[in-house]
Amino acid sequence: MWTTKDMPDLTGKIALVTGANTGIGFETAKALYSAGASVTLAVRSEAKGIAAKEQIAKEGGKGILEVALLDLAGLVQVGEFATQFQKRHAQLDILVNNAGVMIPPPSLTEEGFELQFGVNFLGHFALTGYLFPLLKQSVNARVVTLSSGAAIRAAGIDFDNLRLEQPYDAWREYATSKLADLLFTYEFNRKLKENGSTILSVAAHPGVTKTDLQRNISEAELQTLLAEFKEVMEPWQGALPTLFAATDASVIGGTFYGPDGENEYVGYPAPSKHHTAAMADRQLAADLWSYAEKMTGIRYTF
């Protein structure tokens, strides 16, 4: 039963958590700060970011906190954020690609991508690429990308339906975005290993955790889902797989971590047993990487 008490001392480490003002992101940032890291809370709302920073600081810790504005729904803004972050920091030890949206009304990013695919995957692909030079300046840096058990519902990536070309199916698009996060994690780690890098790319999912991410689910549907799951975790526990992936010495690159309970709904960090043919499709992962490079203009220099 791994908990935050098992985290190593992170004094001197630089960490960045996207979507850090609430839910899993908030708990992740709080734990990293408590362990001594200098943590940037990357958020869309400055007011909410400042409120989160004040709450974390009030609860105590030995690290440093800062707030920075980041809207993953606009690739230009992602680049601007990265430029400012690079001016303030010489390295990056822990990058947690946590921010996300879940089953919103049909919406597009600034560049015209379906919002869930654009924010959950494409924005984080660009952010990681922009900050890759800082990751390379750290010894044994880690990139943790949040996925979901919903990824098992996606049979693949339909490259002809990433801009709402087909009638919108919120759950299908969400599953696609979370499969994309996994494929990115695995392909990134393969490329890192092939080039002798010590950076680890890992994925995590929070199981069934009640957070603001479910705000677009109707109350009736939410109650039905909660009854099906029977047990729901609080955000502090849902954040544990992320924190384990970001800090534990036993972590292996290219691994997916989640709760250890039945169906991985609840529990404590362990390697995930979620596996589908799409998740293991190396050609699909390579195709997605090439697509993301083309759409973002980002090239990772290994």
Side-chain angles (χ1 to χ4, degrees):
M1 293 201 336
W2 190 96
T3 71
T4 54
K5 294 179 181 178
D6 299 300
M7 288 174 59
D9 181 74
L10 299 176
T11 301
K13 299 291 186 182
I14 307 298
L16 167 62
V17 182
T18 67
N21 62 286
T22 187
I24 301 299
F26 175 86
E27 295 294 338
T28 299
K30 181 171 73 172
L32 295 174
Y33 164 74
S34 180
S38 174
V39 185
T40 296
L41 285 65
V43 298
R44 287 191 302 123
S45 164
E46 184 175 21
K48 291 181 179 179
I50 291 173
K53 175 184 175 182
E54 291 175 347
Q55 184 176 345
I56 291 173
K58 186 183 300 182
E59 295 185 27
K62 56 181 181 178
I64 299 171
L65 294 169
E66 64 178 41
V67 175
L69 293 179
L70 171 63
D71 187 351
L72 290 158
L75 294 176
V76 172
Q77 206 279 319
V78 172
E80 292 172 347
F81 167 88
T83 296
Q84 293 304 313
F85 189 87
Q86 289 171 317
K87 289 180 179 178
R88 298 193 303 274
H89 301 284
Q91 67 184 61
L92 178 59
D93 301 285
I94 301 170
L95 171 59
V96 181
N97 291 324
N98 165 82
V101 290
M102 180 181 184
I103 64 167
S107 311
L108 296 172
T109 66
E110 291 183 9
E111 287 75 28
F113 295 96
E114 188 277 317
L115 188 65
Q116 296 175 98
F117 180 81
V119 170
N120 298 353
F121 164 64
L122 208 56
H124 281 125
F125 177 92
L127 177 66
T128 305
Y130 278 125
L131 298 179
F132 191 33
L134 294 188
L135 290 164
K136 291 192 289 186
Q137 295 302 311
S138 171
V139 177
N140 301 322
R142 295 193 190 182
V143 178
V144 182
T145 300
L146 271 288
S147 185
S148 165
I152 64 176
R153 302 178 184 177
I157 306 290
D158 184 352
F159 292 96
D160 294 321
N161 184 37
L162 299 177
R163 296 177 180 269
L164 294 181
E165 291 93 339
Q166 298 178 18
Y168 182 62
D169 181 327
W171 283 108
R172 180 188 65 202
E173 270 60 273
Y174 179 67
T176 295
S177 74
K178 290 305 179 178
L179 172 61
D181 285 330
L182 275 178
L183 292 172
F184 163 63
T185 295
Y186 298 154
E187 184 68 9
F188 188 24
N189 199 69
R190 279 192 286 267
K191 292 179 181 296
L192 289 166
K193 288 180 67 177
E194 288 169 359
N195 288 276
S197 175
T198 60
I199 299 170
L200 299 183
S201 171
V202 293
H205 78 90
V208 181
T209 302
K210 190 172 183 180
T211 69
D212 287 346
L213 190 64
Q214 292 105 23
R215 60 184 173 275
N216 292 308
I217 303 177
S218 69
E219 185 60 29
E221 184 179 7
L222 182 59
Q223 292 306 316
T224 299
L225 289 172
L226 294 178
E228 175 188 342
F229 296 134
K230 298 180 182 178
E231 189 176 355
V232 178
M233 293 189 293
E234 293 298 318
W236 71 264
Q237 189 172 358
L240 293 180
T242 298
L243 290 164
F244 179 87
T247 66
D248 197 79
S250 69
V251 167
I252 299 171
T255 301
F256 187 21
Y257 294 92
D260 62 357
E262 185 178 358
N263 297 317
E264 301 185 25
Y265 290 160
V266 300
Y268 291 85
S272 173
K273 294 183 175 64
H274 288 325
H275 180 81
T276 66
M279 291 178 189
D281 191 333
R282 295 188 63 169
Q283 186 58 55
L284 179 61
D287 290 345
L288 178 64
W289 187 281
S290 296
Y291 179 87
E293 284 186 330
K294 182 178 180 181
M295 294 301 106
T296 64
I298 303 297
R299 298 290 187 275
Y300 286 58
T301 302
F302 291 91

